[in-house]
Amino acid sequence: MDSGDCRVEQQQRDTFAWIMKSGWKGLCPRCGKGHMFKSWLQITDTCEVCGLNYRFATPDDGPAFFSLCIIAFPLIFLVVWLEVAFSPPFWVHLLTSIPLLAIGCLLPLRPIKGWLVASQYMNKAQEAGTEKLWAQLHERDEAKKRDKRDT
């Protein structure tokens, strides 16, 4: 492996580490100082430090999908095992299984959403072939904002 390949690998590792740090902590993926969220799952419009506009951020159902696949499915197997192995009364599931599943699926939504938004920013992700359309839409939005400020 030559030095060029090593530099690319190091850059990819650094990018991945930055995505994980900024995304999981809910920090701006550009400056790492501003906040990405204005409430628990609502992304802010712009970074208060560097002014990054978060219009690019479209994690959609990604956080819920990852939360269900990574956390809910293993927890469901745990609940089924509990039922098969011990046959506890229903109230045991009410006190253990349901809260465990609810908390286990809801708590990671924000870090996962932050990770997806940071990944989109760092990888300049957008739908293929929509660059021109997005540019036109953003120009219209900026023009509307300027018109409102002028009036």
Side-chain angles (χ1 to χ4, degrees):
M1 192 169 7
D2 68 350
S3 63
D5 291 340
C6 289
R7 269 187 254 121
V8 169
E9 280 185 27
Q10 181 62 38
Q11 184 179 8
Q12 288 173 343
R13 281 194 298 269
D14 293 345
T15 300
F16 179 75
W18 179 252
I19 288 170
M20 294 304 288
K21 178 184 174 197
S22 63
W24 285 84
K25 290 184 176 184
L27 301 173
C28 173
R30 182 193 289 165
C31 68
K33 294 178 182 145
H35 296 94
M36 187 184 300
F37 296 96
K38 61 180 163 185
S39 66
W40 185 55
L41 284 176
Q42 189 174 15
I43 297 173
T44 188
D45 296 328
T46 58
C47 173
E48 70 269 12
V49 176
C50 69
L52 175 65
N53 191 327
Y54 282 98
R55 275 193 235 157
F56 68 87
T58 55
D60 300 328
D61 293 333
F65 172 78
F66 285 114
S67 181
L68 288 173
C69 289
I70 295 170
I71 296 156
F73 290 147
L75 287 177
I76 287 172
F77 288 121
L78 178 69
V79 170
V80 170
W81 172 79
L82 177 69
E83 178 62 33
V84 170
F86 301 105
S87 298
F90 184 70
W91 65 267
V92 172
H93 286 294
L94 286 175
L95 293 177
T96 59
S97 304
I98 294 172
L100 183 67
L101 282 166
I103 291 168
C105 290
L106 293 176
L107 282 181
L109 285 177
R110 183 176 172 147
I112 293 172
K113 187 170 188 171
W115 166 67
L116 289 171
V117 170
S119 295
Q120 286 178 327
Y121 175 76
M122 294 302 293
N123 295 309
K124 297 172 181 48
Q126 62 183 11
E127 243 180 273
T130 61
E131 299 89 5
K132 189 174 182 180
L133 177 63
W134 277 108
Q136 290 171 347
L137 289 172
H138 293 311
E139 286 173 15
R140 280 190 223 149
D141 288 345
E142 291 301 320
K144 286 179 186 176
K145 285 180 184 176
R146 279 193 302 271
D147 291 342
K148 284 183 183 178
R149 282 184 285 203
D150 293 343
T151 58

